[in-house]
Amino acid sequence: MEYDAKILLQRIDDYFTGIISKTDLGKWANKAYYDILKGGYVENEKIVIYPFVKVISTFHIRENDIEDIYPCTEENVAIIKDIL
């Protein structure tokens, strides 16, 4: 899987402009997150965005207090966009 900070920023911009949905962004970040965990961290471009992808990978998940699942919010994504 090919991605870096520019691609992540483009995906976030696509979400805020309505090109992709919340689910699409979350699933893409989830794939990138697991790619990093499976060995993608050896590439500098990928390891740099690891903390951001980790947060956004929960964006599409529904909140569940019983199972202690709390997805990231749109504000978190906006903060990450400002950082990038």
Side-chain angles (χ1 to χ4, degrees):
M1 185 173 179
E2 293 297 320
Y3 54 91
D4 58 11
K6 290 178 186 177
I7 294 173
L8 175 59
L9 182 59
Q10 181 61 44
R11 290 285 183 158
I12 293 171
D13 284 338
D14 289 348
Y15 167 73
F16 282 114
T17 57
I19 296 172
I20 63 173
S21 69
K22 181 178 185 176
T23 303
D24 292 337
L25 178 61
K27 286 183 178 181
W28 178 86
N30 197 26
K31 282 183 185 178
Y33 176 60
Y34 283 111
D35 180 64
I36 292 171
L37 292 179
K38 291 190 305 183
Y41 55 83
V42 296
E43 297 179 38
N44 290 337
E45 299 84 25
K46 292 182 180 181
I47 196 66
V48 169
I49 63 171
Y50 169 76
F52 306 130
V53 172
K54 181 180 178 185
V55 171
I56 297 173
S57 68
T58 63
F59 192 45
H60 65 291
I61 298 173
R62 293 177 53 114
E63 185 173 332
N64 187 337
D65 290 334
I66 295 171
E67 295 180 12
D68 225 16
I69 297 173
Y70 303 99
C72 83
T73 63
E74 195 166 299
E75 292 85 28
N76 296 121
V77 176
I79 291 169
I80 290 171
K81 178 182 176 189
D82 290 341
I83 293 171
L84 290 173

